[in-house]
Amino acid sequence: MGIFDFNTNSVTGCNKVKDECIIALKVYDACRQQDCLESGIIGPARAAVCGTFCSGITLEQGEIITPPENAAAVTVSDFKVEKVVVVSKTQNPFRVGYWDVDLKYVFSYDLVFKNVNGGTLCTIPAQSVFNKKVTLFGSITTDSLVSTDFLSAGGNSFDTSSQPFVLVESKAVALSSELVYDNCCCCNDGAVNADHVNITIGLFTIVKLFRLVNLSVESKGFCIPGECEDVSNINPCEFFDNLDFPMDIFAPPQKREFLAGISGNIPAEENNSNSNCGCGCNNNNNTSNNNNSCGCNNSCNCGCGCNR
């Protein structure tokens, strides 16, 4: 029988690599999609909450937002994907092992209305909804039952049928917003009031089907973590003085330096006496790419912060 060495995380006298049986979340199928969502797909902006806004506009949740009088423009702020709801997950009737997944994306944001002078009139919380359907392979289902208390804080078992699970990752941005004039209704002063607001959303999304399975993998044993670093007695000024000066905040890198991964931050220990070496480049043994562009020589003896 071997002896476990905590310093090397290995068993002496035995074969270091062994087969282990693990429970894993195995991805059976996945797809990605890039959607440009215009008003023809998601409709006009709707109220995210009920209430009275802009000194007189009363809205119910989900109601189409009517812009305030004299609104000349609209912008979007605090845009995010509020949630993604898995509406349904059903076996495809024509392709064995495939599943149809219906998703509902809810986007939340604020509509900021402006007057003709660019001043802010008011803000209304808004939302848009997008429904999407994908078909992915998740293998066949059986009448077996999976029970576990792993996801239950109360200790009760969690039961599920032998079906794939859905995982959705998403990132979205508001591309544009505009006031829409349908009826051209004029006020007493001749101003034309907008009827609603249309926004355009760019959505990146990845959808996966995964299952809880047993896998046999090669292992070198358990990972033994190192000791936690004691940070309770660190002097805050000493910590601050050892930080690099963040020049990138004050002088954002230009395109060439940005694409090359060159930072203009000044290392705390840098010697600034040489004007050609104040670039703060960190080359990590890759001096051929970055040294010439930031004024450092390959020997890195000019104090520019090169790490070789």
Side-chain angles (χ1 to χ4, degrees), residues 69-98:
E69 295 182 1
N70 300 324
V74 63
T75 60
V76 173
S77 66
D78 297 330
F79 182 91
K80 64 179 180 179
V81 181
E82 181 70 26
K83 60 181 176 180
V84 181
V85 179
V86 180
V87 178
S88 66
K89 177 187 61 181
T90 57
Q91 298 184 69
N92 187 284
F94 305 106
R95 305 172 67 187
V96 177
Y98 282 81

mmCIF file of all heavy atoms in Angstrom, residues 69-98:
data_model
loop_
_atom_site.group_PDB
_atom_site.id
_atom_site.type_symbol
_atom_site.label_atom_id
_atom_site.label_comp_id
_atom_site.label_asym_id
_atom_site.label_seq_id
_atom_site.Cartn_x
_atom_site.Cartn_y
_atom_site.Cartn_z
ATOM 1 N N GLU A 69 -45.390 64.323 -24.113
ATOM 2 C CA GLU A 69 -45.512 65.404 -25.085
ATOM 3 C C GLU A 69 -44.188 66.159 -25.195
ATOM 4 O O GLU A 69 -43.444 66.285 -24.230
ATOM 5 C CB GLU A 69 -46.630 66.368 -24.666
ATOM 6 C CG GLU A 69 -48.016 65.741 -24.682
ATOM 7 C CD GLU A 69 -49.091 66.749 -24.297
ATOM 8 O OE1 GLU A 69 -48.744 67.917 -24.039
ATOM 9 O OE2 GLU A 69 -50.275 66.350 -24.251
ATOM 10 N N ASN A 70 -43.936 66.643 -26.395
ATOM 11 C CA ASN A 70 -42.742 67.432 -26.691
ATOM 12 C C ASN A 70 -41.451 66.605 -26.627
ATOM 13 O O ASN A 70 -40.361 67.184 -26.615
ATOM 14 C CB ASN A 70 -42.614 68.632 -25.738
ATOM 15 C CG ASN A 70 -43.814 69.565 -25.834
ATOM 16 O OD1 ASN A 70 -44.368 69.758 -26.914
ATOM 17 N ND2 ASN A 70 -44.231 70.130 -24.709
ATOM 18 N N ALA A 71 -41.561 65.293 -26.593
ATOM 19 C CA ALA A 71 -40.355 64.463 -26.664
ATOM 20 C C ALA A 71 -39.818 64.515 -28.088
ATOM 21 O O ALA A 71 -40.533 64.251 -29.055
ATOM 22 C CB ALA A 71 -40.669 63.031 -26.266
ATOM 23 N N ALA A 72 -38.550 64.883 -28.213
ATOM 24 C CA ALA A 72 -37.938 64.997 -29.534
ATOM 25 C C ALA A 72 -36.978 63.850 -29.834
ATOM 26 O O ALA A 72 -36.636 63.613 -30.994
ATOM 27 C CB ALA A 72 -37.190 66.331 -29.651
ATOM 28 N N ALA A 73 -36.549 63.144 -28.812
ATOM 29 C CA ALA A 73 -35.618 62.027 -28.993
ATOM 30 C C ALA A 73 -35.710 61.111 -27.789
ATOM 31 O O ALA A 73 -36.267 61.469 -26.743
ATOM 32 C CB ALA A 73 -34.184 62.530 -29.180
ATOM 33 N N VAL A 74 -35.155 59.917 -27.939
ATOM 34 C CA VAL A 74 -35.156 58.945 -26.851
ATOM 35 C C VAL A 74 -33.864 58.154 -26.895
ATOM 36 O O VAL A 74 -33.340 57.840 -27.974
ATOM 37 C CB VAL A 74 -36.384 58.007 -26.936
ATOM 38 C CG1 VAL A 74 -36.350 57.174 -28.217
ATOM 39 C CG2 VAL A 74 -36.464 57.096 -25.712
ATOM 40 N N THR A 75 -33.317 57.849 -25.725
ATOM 41 C CA THR A 75 -32.132 57.015 -25.613
ATOM 42 C C THR A 75 -32.412 55.881 -24.636
ATOM 43 O O THR A 75 -33.387 55.912 -23.885
ATOM 44 C CB THR A 75 -30.905 57.821 -25.126
ATOM 45 O OG1 THR A 75 -31.195 58.375 -23.837
ATOM 46 C CG2 THR A 75 -30.578 58.937 -26.111
ATOM 47 N N VAL A 76 -31.534 54.884 -24.648
ATOM 48 C CA VAL A 76 -31.672 53.713 -23.777
ATOM 49 C C VAL A 76 -30.508 53.680 -22.795
ATOM 50 O O VAL A 76 -29.347 53.892 -23.165
ATOM 51 C CB VAL A 76 -31.688 52.414 -24.610
ATOM 52 C CG1 VAL A 76 -31.654 51.194 -23.698
ATOM 53 C CG2 VAL A 76 -32.923 52.375 -25.493
ATOM 54 N N SER A 77 -30.813 53.429 -21.519
ATOM 55 C CA SER A 77 -29.784 53.287 -20.494
ATOM 56 C C SER A 77 -30.065 52.051 -19.652
ATOM 57 O O SER A 77 -31.190 51.546 -19.629
ATOM 58 C CB SER A 77 -29.725 54.531 -19.604
ATOM 59 O OG SER A 77 -30.919 54.672 -18.848
ATOM 60 N N ASP A 78 -29.038 51.571 -18.965
ATOM 61 C CA ASP A 78 -29.138 50.422 -18.049
ATOM 62 C C ASP A 78 -29.764 49.204 -18.732
ATOM 63 O O ASP A 78 -30.608 48.512 -18.163
ATOM 64 C CB ASP A 78 -29.943 50.793 -16.806
ATOM 65 C CG ASP A 78 -29.277 51.891 -15.987
ATOM 66 O OD1 ASP A 78 -28.040 51.960 -16.006
ATOM 67 O OD2 ASP A 78 -29.998 52.683 -15.351
ATOM 68 N N PHE A 79 -29.313 48.924 -19.945
ATOM 69 C CA PHE A 79 -29.857 47.795 -20.702
ATOM 70 C C PHE A 79 -29.218 46.489 -20.233
ATOM 71 O O PHE A 79 -28.016 46.417 -19.995
ATOM 72 C CB PHE A 79 -29.585 47.987 -22.195
ATOM 73 C CG PHE A 79 -30.161 46.896 -23.055
ATOM 74 C CD1 PHE A 79 -31.425 47.000 -23.581
ATOM 75 C CD2 PHE A 79 -29.416 45.763 -23.317
ATOM 76 C CE1 PHE A 79 -31.953 45.992 -24.367
ATOM 77 C CE2 PHE A 79 -29.929 44.740 -24.101
ATOM 78 C CZ PHE A 79 -31.207 44.859 -24.620
ATOM 79 N N LYS A 80 -30.033 45.424 -20.097
ATOM 80 C CA LYS A 80 -29.509 44.119 -19.714
ATOM 81 C C LYS A 80 -30.522 43.031 -20.067
ATOM 82 O O LYS A 80 -31.711 43.310 -20.306
ATOM 83 C CB LYS A 80 -29.211 44.065 -18.214
ATOM 84 C CG LYS A 80 -30.435 44.206 -17.328
ATOM 85 C CD LYS A 80 -30.067 44.119 -15.850
ATOM 86 C CE LYS A 80 -31.290 44.266 -14.954
ATOM 87 N NZ LYS A 80 -30.939 44.170 -13.520
ATOM 88 N N VAL A 81 -30.026 41.803 -20.107
ATOM 89 C CA VAL A 81 -30.919 40.646 -20.221
ATOM 90 C C VAL A 81 -31.436 40.350 -18.818
ATOM 91 O O VAL A 81 -30.687 39.905 -17.944
ATOM 92 C CB VAL A 81 -30.189 39.427 -20.799
ATOM 93 C CG1 VAL A 81 -31.158 38.251 -20.934
ATOM 94 C CG2 VAL A 81 -29.571 39.751 -22.142
ATOM 95 N N GLU A 82 -32.699 40.637 -18.584
ATOM 96 C CA GLU A 82 -33.270 40.468 -17.250
ATOM 97 C C GLU A 82 -33.341 38.996 -16.863
ATOM 98 O O GLU A 82 -32.961 38.604 -15.762
ATOM 99 C CB GLU A 82 -34.660 41.098 -17.193
ATOM 100 C CG GLU A 82 -35.339 41.013 -15.835
ATOM 101 C CD GLU A 82 -34.681 41.909 -14.816
ATOM 102 O OE1 GLU A 82 -34.071 42.927 -15.204
ATOM 103 O OE2 GLU A 82 -34.763 41.592 -13.615
ATOM 104 N N LYS A 83 -33.826 38.158 -17.781
ATOM 105 C CA LYS A 83 -33.908 36.722 -17.510
ATOM 106 C C LYS A 83 -34.196 35.979 -18.802
ATOM 107 O O LYS A 83 -34.632 36.570 -19.802
ATOM 108 C CB LYS A 83 -35.011 36.415 -16.482
ATOM 109 C CG LYS A 83 -36.407 36.845 -16.900
ATOM 110 C CD LYS A 83 -37.428 36.525 -15.803
ATOM 111 C CE LYS A 83 -38.817 37.046 -16.182
ATOM 112 N NZ LYS A 83 -39.817 36.741 -15.126
ATOM 113 N N VAL A 84 -33.920 34.684 -18.770
ATOM 114 C CA VAL A 84 -34.261 33.788 -19.874
ATOM 115 C C VAL A 84 -35.079 32.644 -19.284
ATOM 116 O O VAL A 84 -34.626 31.955 -18.372
ATOM 117 C CB VAL A 84 -33.010 33.244 -20.582
ATOM 118 C CG1 VAL A 84 -33.419 32.335 -21.740
ATOM 119 C CG2 VAL A 84 -32.124 34.386 -21.079
ATOM 120 N N VAL A 85 -36.270 32.463 -19.800
ATOM 121 C CA VAL A 85 -37.191 31.450 -19.289
ATOM 122 C C VAL A 85 -37.259 30.286 -20.274
ATOM 123 O O VAL A 85 -37.452 30.497 -21.480
ATOM 124 C CB VAL A 85 -38.605 32.025 -19.080
ATOM 125 C CG1 VAL A 85 -39.558 30.946 -18.558
ATOM 126 C CG2 VAL A 85 -38.564 33.223 -18.141
ATOM 127 N N VAL A 86 -37.055 29.068 -19.764
ATOM 128 C CA VAL A 86 -37.262 27.875 -20.583
ATOM 129 C C VAL A 86 -38.756 27.571 -20.553
ATOM 130 O O VAL A 86 -39.278 27.000 -19.588
ATOM 131 C CB VAL A 86 -36.447 26.685 -20.052
ATOM 132 C CG1 VAL A 86 -36.677 25.452 -20.929
ATOM 133 C CG2 VAL A 86 -34.964 27.035 -20.009
ATOM 134 N N VAL A 87 -39.441 27.975 -21.604
ATOM 135 C CA VAL A 87 -40.901 27.847 -21.654
ATOM 136 C C VAL A 87 -41.309 26.383 -21.779
ATOM 137 O O VAL A 87 -42.215 25.909 -21.089
ATOM 138 C CB VAL A 87 -41.472 28.680 -22.814
ATOM 139 C CG1 VAL A 87 -42.992 28.517 -22.893
ATOM 140 C CG2 VAL A 87 -41.093 30.152 -22.654
ATOM 141 N N SER A 88 -40.646 25.651 -22.649
ATOM 142 C CA SER A 88 -40.981 24.236 -22.829
ATOM 143 C C SER A 88 -39.782 23.495 -23.401
ATOM 144 O O SER A 88 -38.896 24.083 -24.025
ATOM 145 C CB SER A 88 -42.194 24.067 -23.757
ATOM 146 O OG SER A 88 -41.880 24.494 -25.078
ATOM 147 N N LYS A 89 -39.780 22.183 -23.163
ATOM 148 C CA LYS A 89 -38.733 21.293 -23.676
ATOM 149 C C LYS A 89 -39.422 19.983 -24.026
ATOM 150 O O LYS A 89 -39.835 19.231 -23.142
ATOM 151 C CB LYS A 89 -37.655 21.093 -22.621
ATOM 152 C CG LYS A 89 -36.547 20.130 -23.014
ATOM 153 C CD LYS A 89 -35.616 19.877 -21.821
ATOM 154 C CE LYS A 89 -36.378 19.247 -20.665
ATOM 155 N NZ LYS A 89 -35.515 19.003 -19.485
ATOM 156 N N THR A 90 -39.582 19.719 -25.312
ATOM 157 C CA THR A 90 -40.336 18.553 -25.758
ATOM 158 C C THR A 90 -39.538 17.782 -26.805
ATOM 159 O O THR A 90 -38.708 18.357 -27.523
ATOM 160 C CB THR A 90 -41.694 18.952 -26.354
ATOM 161 O OG1 THR A 90 -41.480 19.874 -27.433
ATOM 162 C CG2 THR A 90 -42.570 19.615 -25.293
ATOM 163 N N GLN A 91 -39.804 16.475 -26.882
ATOM 164 C CA GLN A 91 -39.143 15.659 -27.889
ATOM 165 C C GLN A 91 -39.665 16.023 -29.279
ATOM 166 O O GLN A 91 -40.864 16.192 -29.488
ATOM 167 C CB GLN A 91 -39.397 14.181 -27.614
ATOM 168 C CG GLN A 91 -38.836 13.698 -26.285
ATOM 169 C CD GLN A 91 -39.017 12.215 -26.090
ATOM 170 O OE1 GLN A 91 -38.394 11.404 -26.772
ATOM 171 N NE2 GLN A 91 -39.889 11.846 -25.155
ATOM 172 N N ASN A 92 -38.738 16.152 -30.197
ATOM 173 C CA ASN A 92 -39.130 16.444 -31.574
ATOM 174 C C ASN A 92 -39.877 15.257 -32.153
ATOM 175 O O ASN A 92 -39.392 14.117 -32.065
ATOM 176 C CB ASN A 92 -37.886 16.760 -32.407
ATOM 177 C CG ASN A 92 -38.230 17.226 -33.800
ATOM 178 O OD1 ASN A 92 -38.591 16.441 -34.661
ATOM 179 N ND2 ASN A 92 -38.116 18.522 -34.016
ATOM 180 N N PRO A 93 -41.053 15.492 -32.735
ATOM 181 C CA PRO A 93 -41.863 14.360 -33.208
ATOM 182 C C PRO A 93 -41.303 13.670 -34.448
ATOM 183 O O PRO A 93 -41.755 12.575 -34.797
ATOM 184 C CB PRO A 93 -43.218 15.012 -33.497
ATOM 185 C CG PRO A 93 -42.904 16.438 -33.792
ATOM 186 C CD PRO A 93 -41.738 16.781 -32.924
ATOM 187 N N PHE A 94 -40.346 14.271 -35.118
ATOM 188 C CA PHE A 94 -39.867 13.719 -36.385
ATOM 189 C C PHE A 94 -38.427 13.188 -36.308
ATOM 190 O O PHE A 94 -38.028 12.393 -37.141
ATOM 191 C CB PHE A 94 -39.943 14.780 -37.488
ATOM 192 C CG PHE A 94 -41.309 15.376 -37.643
ATOM 193 C CD1 PHE A 94 -41.574 16.663 -37.205
ATOM 194 C CD2 PHE A 94 -42.346 14.650 -38.221
ATOM 195 C CE1 PHE A 94 -42.830 17.232 -37.343
ATOM 196 C CE2 PHE A 94 -43.608 15.197 -38.362
ATOM 197 C CZ PHE A 94 -43.858 16.486 -37.916
ATOM 198 N N ARG A 95 -37.664 13.628 -35.304
ATOM 199 C CA ARG A 95 -36.261 13.225 -35.215
ATOM 200 C C ARG A 95 -36.010 12.610 -33.836
ATOM 201 O O ARG A 95 -36.067 13.295 -32.813
ATOM 202 C CB ARG A 95 -35.331 14.417 -35.450
ATOM 203 C CG ARG A 95 -35.598 15.114 -36.766
ATOM 204 C CD ARG A 95 -34.795 16.410 -36.870
ATOM 205 N NE ARG A 95 -33.359 16.155 -36.962
ATOM 206 C CZ ARG A 95 -32.441 17.110 -36.932
ATOM 207 N NH1 ARG A 95 -32.809 18.379 -36.756
ATOM 208 N NH2 ARG A 95 -31.166 16.813 -37.043
ATOM 209 N N VAL A 96 -35.730 11.317 -33.809
ATOM 210 C CA VAL A 96 -35.524 10.615 -32.546
ATOM 211 C C VAL A 96 -34.254 11.140 -31.871
ATOM 212 O O VAL A 96 -33.204 11.269 -32.504
ATOM 213 C CB VAL A 96 -35.415 9.097 -32.783
ATOM 214 C CG1 VAL A 96 -35.134 8.373 -31.467
ATOM 215 C CG2 VAL A 96 -36.692 8.566 -33.424
ATOM 216 N N GLY A 97 -34.370 11.433 -30.579
ATOM 217 C CA GLY A 97 -33.231 11.912 -29.812
ATOM 218 C C GLY A 97 -33.083 13.421 -29.813
ATOM 219 O O GLY A 97 -32.241 13.950 -29.085
ATOM 220 N N TYR A 98 -33.874 14.124 -30.602
ATOM 221 C CA TYR A 98 -33.801 15.580 -30.669
ATOM 222 C C TYR A 98 -34.920 16.209 -29.836
ATOM 223 O O TYR A 98 -36.006 15.639 -29.691
ATOM 224 C CB TYR A 98 -33.888 16.062 -32.117
ATOM 225 C CG TYR A 98 -32.597 15.895 -32.876
ATOM 226 C CD1 TYR A 98 -32.241 14.661 -33.418
ATOM 227 C CD2 TYR A 98 -31.716 16.956 -33.039
ATOM 228 C CE1 TYR A 98 -31.050 14.487 -34.105
ATOM 229 C CE2 TYR A 98 -30.522 16.804 -33.734
ATOM 230 C CZ TYR A 98 -30.200 15.572 -34.265
ATOM 231 O OH TYR A 98 -29.023 15.415 -34.931
#
